[in-house]
Amino acid sequence: MKTIIVPSSLHLVMYQKLLKEYSNTIDVQVLSLNSFLYDHSEQELNILYQYQKKGESLRDSNTYKNSFNDLTFLKSCLSFIRFCKLYNVKDFPEHTQKDKDLKELLLSIYSIETKEDHIKPIIDFQSVYILHKPYNDIEMKWILFLLENGAQFIDKKTQTNFHYHSMANPKKEAQWICQSIIEKNYNACDCMIFTSQESENQVLAQMLDQYNIPYTFLKKTINSFILDEFNSVFSWIQEKTLSSFLNMIQLLYPEIYKDMNAYYTSFPDSIYPSFHLEKIEYEKNYLIEETDFLYLKNAESNIKQWFLDHDFLLHLTMNDFVSICEIIQNHHINPSIEDIKAYQYVQDCYKQSFDYLKDPFLLIQYLKQSSLTQSVKEIKGVCISSLNDCNGIRPHCFIMSANAKNFPSIVIHKDIFNENYIQNTTLPSLQKRLSFQLQQLKDTLFQMEDCFISYAQSDYEGKTVEASNDIKEWIGKDASFIDVKESSNYEKTKLFISREQAKDLFFKDSIFSVSRLESFAKCPFYHYLKYGLHLREPKSVTEVSTKGTLFHSMLEHLTTIYHKDYIHVPLIEIEKIIKDEFSFFLKVYPNKKTWVEGQIIEYSQKIHRVLQQLSEFENSWHMNIKEQEYKILKKMEFEDMTLTFTGYIDRMDTSSTSFCIFDYKSSKKELRKENFQAGLSLQLLTYTIYIEENEHLKPVGCFYISLSSPFIQDEALHISYPKDNQKLGFVEPSNSNGLDEYNRQKIISGWNFDGFDIYIDSKEQFAIPKNTLSYEECKEQWDIIVNGLLKKMKEGDIQANHVENACMYCKFQRICRNNRKEVRQISFIEEEA
Ligand code: SF4
């Protein structure tokens, strides 16, 4: 019986080859080096726990005593012990204190059994055949041993055709490989691709799919959440924090996670809720919207109900493994084969840790670092494997990403047992190990009939990548650059919906807010998510400070009570009103008391400041406040529909013949002609047109009032440089330039129309751009713009083509990701012309 030594992931490829060449595989066994040599199924985690236990008996002064709680350190110890056992090395250096400490720890764990203590007897070396592949320095011991005793490499004695090229980026590299397979008319079953990074696999798979080339990844990552789910429970048991609790809930109880996430974001102080919202009824206020309050209250009630059946989770321990398994099983009523494998893996790890479960930390870390893979059960087309297993079983081989960093891939010890340390032991020298590894890789390349080696000149971040010197030396030439042409099929995903879907989603109830139209002009995809799919934008409690709703409501409140005298309201009165505004907020969020106190002071001062800024305007403005929060319902015919546009006018001032519109904004905003014509600033003019049509008054202007307090740079001190014998000193500025500058800021901006000058003594406080439109032009263009927007919307445009700065504060950034594209804002007026 012949034995062929081949890595387990390549067994099927080898059997396929044997069947093709000899029509049968009787008399042949294909084994991995591990299963050929060792007669023992090792329990790695159990060994690591035993090491950890041994660490406790080290001297307190040993530098590494505390490192025994670190999984990476323990794994380094195990790997080094294996290396030593292979070469029967039992004596360790003790030149320095560090050496002595390491020696103490190595001797303390050496006797713990590993698979190297259980080697099978080898009877017939002559019938052992070894596949050429890049063996590492641990495998070196066995390969050399087998060869010395009569085993042999499978040698194909072929002439290798080398092709060595570079491309602009990794995507083009994958594309070039696919194009080469097609152009050279290779049978996919004769090709192999070797990759050095898992991250390449996704792009490669997409490209092979695009070119319709069948393929198989020889190592398949087990796709199951079971490991994460167990780990979430173990982590919760180990550390009972809100974040570990929510992590467990998210994975195992997704049906309640949404409520919990919303609730605990607002009330993160305790895992078991206080359930205080059930005792509160909604009170009208400007900080918390009724829908938000009811949403939270409903979440609280659902959580309360849920805890009736699940409060055992709060008391789980590591001894409740059976209950934990039940939770996981209930979560997977129809488990996949991969789920079952992952489940068995966790059970096995738990068994290995059983005697040490007082501290599950190591088990948790071990599971976190475990990446479960399985060899495939059948192969088709091109086989894809890692560069570490590259081989010449198939004639046409592609080696990807063969740059200076990845190629040659050789093992150099860098951890605590590094090459400096190794050179003081009787283990094989670095030179011997390196030359063995390089020779293996080189011999492997020369087993291939066609060897295509490639690398991308820059990575995904655009960083330059260097070529490998070894390849150049071995094959005697530099890589030639190939400019891979983009496939016309490879395009960004197009986002679109049909006209019918657009009609159903966007025109169902015929009611539009003006801000909704503006949002469509800014980004059709945002509009689709918010108004088509009705996704909620995530909000945090502290966002009340940025919404400006409080400023807004304060001005309304003050103007309603004090009319034009609102600008003289003293700070103490403002403080009292704001305090009242926050009273409901405090009932809902008692945990935010300190934050609220700070907000009251900050808001009061800011509002007082804004009132001072507005006083000059009010003193010279000769209209009266007629309406606040005035609802508009503007009707419009569009194709076969009657649409209604809604919105609220913050403030409308009137005289007996005319009116002027004001809109409060929490940040500075300008009304620019190009924004209006692109549909981005429709609000003020929609309101103006509505009032003119319905109230029969003459419009004299429409303006934004900015409620933000701009940051002004002020000089704290002048430095006075010494003249003659004077010393260097500091002089305070004589008057505060910053305050003057602050008062000079124009907080009212917008457009004025005919007749405006009659109502104002001085236009100083207004920022009015030069390039505006007359009211008649506005009215005419408004129809064209709104029709243009509605037409686009009805055609199903949901592209993530956004105008400048639209994404800056958008909460849907994670959804649109790669499809985002900044576009120049279009003018519907130009288009029409
Ligand atoms: S992030 Fe930008 S492109 Fe994406 S939805 Fe928001 S605005 Fe549109």
Side-chain angles (χ1 to χ4, degrees):
M1 164 82 92
K2 284 183 191 147
T3 301
I4 302 182
I5 296 188
V6 172
S8 53
S9 64
L10 297 172
H11 284 187
L12 280 183
V13 185
M14 182 48 96
Y15 275 120
Q16 197 184 49
K17 165 102 178 162
L18 291 171
L19 279 172
K20 196 170 164 190
E21 286 188 4
Y22 307 106
S23 347
N24 69 66
T25 56
I26 311 164
D27 203 27
V28 177
Q29 61 171 348
V30 179
L31 293 176
S32 68
L33 191 58
N34 251 332
S35 44
F36 178 66
L37 292 172
Y38 303 118
D39 188 10
H40 185 65
S41 106
E42 188 179 77
Q43 302 210 310
E44 186 183 56
L45 179 56
N46 186 270
I47 296 174
L48 298 177
Y49 263 116
Q50 290 185 57
Y51 283 7
Q52 191 190 40
K53 192 86 193 137
K54 286 280 182 191
E56 291 168 12
S57 57
L58 293 183
R59 283 172 299 116
D60 285 345
S61 57
N62 190 310
T63 327
Y64 300 101
K65 191 169 170 95
N66 291 332
S67 307
F68 271 82
N69 291 322
D70 177 53
L71 181 67
T72 312
F73 177 80
L74 292 172
K75 281 189 168 176
S76 298
C77 292
L78 176 57
S79 151
F80 188 66
I81 287 279
R82 288 191 200 293
F83 201 11
C84 295
K85 283 189 174 180
L86 271 180
Y87 289 93
N88 205 19
V89 173
K90 290 182 180 161
D91 197 16
F92 303 104
E94 43 186 346
H95 307 305
T96 63
Q97 187 54 46
K98 177 187 160 201
D99 287 348
K100 286 176 188 156
D101 289 347
L102 283 178
K103 182 171 178 170
E104 187 196 2
L105 87 83
L106 287 170
L107 291 180
S108 76
I109 57 177
Y110 201 95
S111 60
I112 295 170
E113 285 194 352
T114 63
K115 66 181 179 190
E116 285 71 21
D117 296 308
H118 299 270
I119 295 166
K120 281 188 209 166
I122 304 169
I123 301 153
D124 180 10
F125 285 94
Q126 312 295 324
S127 62
V128 176
Y129 293 84
I130 305 166
L131 175 75
H132 272 293
K133 71 156 278 245
Y135 292 99
N136 64 31
D137 61 350
I138 299 236
E139 293 160 333
M140 172 179 109
K141 152 87 185 170
W142 291 112
I143 298 299
L144 292 178
F145 172 76
L146 293 173
L147 292 173
E148 275 161 19
N149 285 284
Q152 51 198 296
F153 274 125
I154 312 169
D155 264 316
K156 283 212 290 197
K157 305 250 179 317
T158 179
Q159 176 77 34
T160 305
N161 300 314
F162 284 104
H163 312 261
Y164 183 29
H165 299 292
S166 64
M167 292 87 211
N169 57 46
K171 194 181 106 193
K172 295 206 170 203
E173 191 185 0
Q175 199 171 351
W176 172 73
I177 290 174
C178 297
Q179 284 175 1
S180 302
I181 293 172
I182 304 256
E183 278 162 20
K184 292 186 186 301
N185 208 11
Y186 287 156
N187 182 340
C189 296
D190 287 336
C191 300
M192 279 200 83
I193 302 175
F194 304 104
T195 62
S196 53
Q197 288 158 348
E198 260 198 45
S199 53
E200 292 162 357
N201 293 353
Q202 197 73 21
V203 177
L204 184 60
Q206 278 177 8
M207 210 50 86
L208 288 160
D209 282 336
Q210 197 194 332
Y211 282 86
N212 286 325
I213 299 173
Y215 62 93
T216 309
F217 283 100
L218 293 180
K219 267 213 173 126
K220 207 170 142 219
T221 306
I222 291 191
N223 226 342
S224 165
F225 286 113
I226 296 261
L227 238 64
D228 292 336
E229 289 163 5
F230 269 107
N231 234 1
S232 73
V233 184
F234 295 155
S235 300
W236 158 243
I237 292 171
Q238 194 215 359
E239 204 178 352
K240 293 213 159 78
T241 62
L242 182 58
S243 86
S244 63
F245 180 70
L246 281 178
N247 186 31
M248 173 177 71
I249 300 299
Q250 184 173 20
L251 289 174
L252 293 170
Y253 301 97
E255 67 284 356
I256 193 71
Y257 176 73
K258 200 169 149 224
D259 283 335
M260 283 202 174
N261 193 33
Y263 188 82
Y264 287 117
T265 304
S266 297
F267 309 109
D269 310 308
S270 146
I271 291 167
Y272 194 75
S274 61
F275 300 120
H276 66 293
L277 296 184
E278 62 186 5
K279 297 173 209 120
I280 305 174
E281 288 307 321
Y282 184 72
E283 293 167 23
K284 192 168 171 354
N285 74 101
Y286 287 97
L287 297 169
I288 304 175
E289 284 171 23
E290 186 169 12
T291 46
D292 289 343
F293 172 74
L294 293 179
Y295 181 78
L296 265 188
K297 194 170 173 171
N298 185 45
E300 185 192 73
S301 144
N302 293 344
I303 294 168
K304 190 173 184 182
Q305 196 59 37
W306 184 88
F307 262 116
L308 293 179
D309 297 328
H310 297 89
D311 74 332
F312 68 93
L313 287 171
L314 300 176
H315 317 291
L316 273 184
T317 71
M318 284 305 285
N319 294 327
D320 298 319
F321 191 62
V322 176
S323 313
I324 298 170
C325 288
E326 264 172 35
I327 298 172
I328 308 283
Q329 281 169 1
N330 289 340
H331 193 57
H332 296 269
I333 305 295
N334 295 310
S336 65
I337 306 255
E338 295 186 338
D339 286 336
I340 293 169
K341 274 196 186 310
Y343 187 86
Q344 286 165 342
Y345 178 77
V346 179
Q347 279 197 323
D348 182 48
C349 289
Y350 181 83
K351 255 193 263 160
Q352 292 187 44
S353 336
F354 193 73
D355 294 333
Y356 309 93
L357 283 175
K358 236 171 44 197
D359 181 6
F361 182 71
L362 215 55
L363 169 65
I364 295 169
Q365 293 309 308
Y366 193 80
L367 291 178
K368 267 191 192 157
Q369 288 184 16
S370 298
S371 139
L372 296 190
T373 54
Q374 60 180 2
S375 297
V376 285
K377 295 270 176 292
E378 61 174 320
I379 50 177
K380 63 170 184 185
V382 178
C383 283
I384 304 160
S385 176
S386 100
L387 184 57
N388 292 335
D389 283 343
C390 81
N391 63 78
I393 301 177
R394 288 185 169 185
H396 316 304
C397 301
F398 295 83
I399 300 179
M400 283 183 83
S401 305
N403 55 43
K405 192 170 147 220
N406 302 327
F407 198 96
S409 151
I410 44 180
V411 178
I412 296 179
H413 295 260
K414 289 180 183 155
D415 57 13
I416 186 80
F417 304 103
N418 57 23
E419 294 297 345
N420 274 345
Y421 184 79
I422 291 174
Q423 73 175 3
N424 291 324
T425 66
T426 51
L427 287 163
S429 69
L430 175 63
Q431 197 192 3
K432 190 174 173 194
R433 284 179 282 122
L434 282 188
S435 81
F436 171 82
Q437 292 182 71
L438 287 173
Q439 191 58 47
Q440 292 309 306
L441 178 57
K442 192 174 172 186
D443 289 350
T444 305
L445 297 190
F446 280 89
Q447 290 295 308
M448 301 166 180
E449 274 177 47
D450 286 299
C451 177
F452 296 81
I453 306 177
S454 59
Y455 75 98
Q457 292 186 344
S458 64
D459 63 14
Y460 285 112
E461 277 105 47
K463 283 193 212 133
T464 307
V465 173
E466 300 293 328
S468 159
N469 277 333
D470 293 77
I471 300 177
K472 186 181 167 187
E473 206 177 289
W474 292 348
I475 65 176
K477 59 177 176 185
D478 280 318
S480 59
F481 179 78
I482 293 187
D483 183 16
V484 184
K485 296 278 171 273
E486 277 290 331
S487 158
S488 53
N489 305 333
Y490 196 78
E491 284 178 3
K492 274 188 176 178
T493 326
K494 272 221 162 109
L495 300 168
F496 70 92
I497 51 173
S498 66
R499 284 176 72 89
E500 291 71 35
Q501 287 168 324
K503 194 167 179 193
D504 277 356
L505 283 177
F506 302 141
F507 293 86
K508 210 161 155 195
D509 53 10
S510 316
I511 295 187
F512 283 76
S513 68
V514 185
S515 55
R516 181 180 152 190
L517 266 188
E518 290 176 351
S519 80
F520 178 76
K522 255 191 216 162
C523 172
F525 192 59
Y526 173 86
H527 171 263
Y528 166 67
L529 297 177
K530 186 165 163 99
Y531 298 101
L533 301 187
H534 300 285
L535 299 192
R536 278 169 70 98
E537 292 171 83
K539 261 194 243 176
S540 88
V541 174
T542 49
E543 270 185 72
V544 291
S545 62
T546 55
K547 274 170 61 179
T549 42
L550 192 62
F551 272 175
H552 208 112
S553 69
M554 275 300 295
L555 277 189
E556 252 175 61
H557 194 100
L558 294 172
T559 43
T560 308
I561 300 174
Y562 299 97
H563 305 286
K564 285 200 89 170
D565 276 343
Y566 74 98
I567 45 175
H568 305 302
V569 177
L571 181 61
I572 192 154
E573 180 66 17
I574 295 172
E575 232 174 60
K576 194 175 154 293
I577 300 171
I578 293 190
K579 221 172 172 173
D580 286 347
E581 250 339 300
F582 268 105
S583 68
F584 178 70
F585 184 90
L586 266 181
K587 275 189 206 168
V588 177
Y589 297 103
N591 52 339
K592 297 263 172 249
K593 190 164 181 279
T594 317
W595 179 79
V596 165
E597 282 166 1
Q599 294 294 302
I600 291 172
I601 297 171
E602 190 185 322
Y603 272 116
S604 308
Q605 288 176 351
K606 276 187 181 169
I607 288 171
H608 193 235
R609 191 83 226 136
V610 169
L611 296 193
Q612 285 175 344
Q613 278 186 298
L614 283 171
S615 63
E616 200 185 330
F617 154 69
E618 294 292 2
N619 288 333
S620 62
W621 176 241
H622 304 298
M623 273 194 181
N624 293 317
I625 302 171
K626 169 84 186 307
E627 299 282 358
Q628 299 198 76
E629 280 291 290
Y630 182 71
K631 187 170 183 181
I632 68 146
L633 291 167
K634 179 167 167 45
K635 299 238 182 283
M636 172 187 170
E637 298 303 317
F638 173 67
E639 297 183 357
D640 55 347
M641 293 176 277
T642 304
L643 305 179
T644 307
F645 294 100
T646 62
Y648 284 89
I649 300 172
D650 286 342
R651 169 173 163 177
M652 177 171 73
D653 288 14
T654 55
S655 68
S656 56
T657 56
S658 310
F659 72 97
C660 188
I661 299 288
F662 296 96
D663 194 66
Y664 301 130
K665 288 282 170 223
S666 49
S667 58
K668 215 159 182 187
K669 188 166 178 184
E670 282 174 30
L671 181 57
R672 290 180 19 216
K673 189 173 104 180
E674 54 280 20
N675 284 352
F676 168 63
Q677 293 179 333
L680 297 162
S681 290
L682 292 172
Q683 198 187 19
L684 282 179
L685 292 158
T686 310
Y687 298 164
T688 308
I689 294 167
Y690 175 79
I691 297 295
E692 187 264 336
E693 286 172 350
N694 290 276
E695 302 280 335
H696 308 295
L697 292 168
K698 190 171 168 299
V700 297
C702 53
F703 297 94
Y704 297 118
I705 299 181
S706 161
L707 303 179
S708 68
S709 311
F711 288 106
I712 302 290
Q713 265 193 350
D714 198 2
E715 199 176 25
L717 293 166
H718 283 308
I719 300 174
S720 78
Y721 290 96
K723 277 190 211 147
D724 307 329
N725 290 332
Q726 284 177 321
K727 283 186 189 163
L728 178 71
F730 301 100
V731 181
E732 277 190 41
S734 52
N735 53 24
S736 173
N737 299 330
L739 196 60
D740 291 347
E741 174 59 27
Y742 186 90
N743 288 333
R744 274 199 299 275
Q745 293 283 321
K746 294 183 176 179
I747 61 167
I748 308 175
S749 66
W751 292 358
N752 63 325
F753 305 121
D754 287 349
F756 177 69
D757 292 352
I758 304 167
Y759 298 97
I760 187 83
D761 295 341
S762 148
K763 284 203 304 196
E764 278 296 287
Q765 312 97 47
F766 293 84
I768 300 171
K770 288 199 179 81
N771 191 12
T772 63
L773 299 169
S774 69
Y775 174 69
E776 287 66 32
E777 285 170 322
C778 290
K779 204 170 166 181
E780 192 184 315
Q781 291 191 6
W782 186 91
D783 260 340
I784 300 170
I785 297 162
V786 173
N787 264 293
L789 284 171
L790 293 170
K791 226 165 115 194
K792 270 182 83 184
M793 196 185 287
K794 200 162 168 229
E795 274 160 13
D797 183 355
I798 57 161
Q799 294 284 330
N801 292 344
H802 61 87
V803 298
E804 193 183 354
N805 294 334
C807 308
M808 206 179 285
Y809 301 108
C810 178
K811 299 284 172 61
F812 298 136
Q813 289 186 9
R814 281 204 274 172
I815 301 178
C816 58
R817 293 213 267 179
N818 300 339
N819 287 307
R820 240 179 266 171
K821 187 172 161 207
E822 184 174 320
V823 292
R824 198 176 61 87
Q825 61 192 52
I826 49 159
S827 166
F828 289 94
I829 302 308
E830 270 173 21
E831 275 200 343
E832 198 54 23

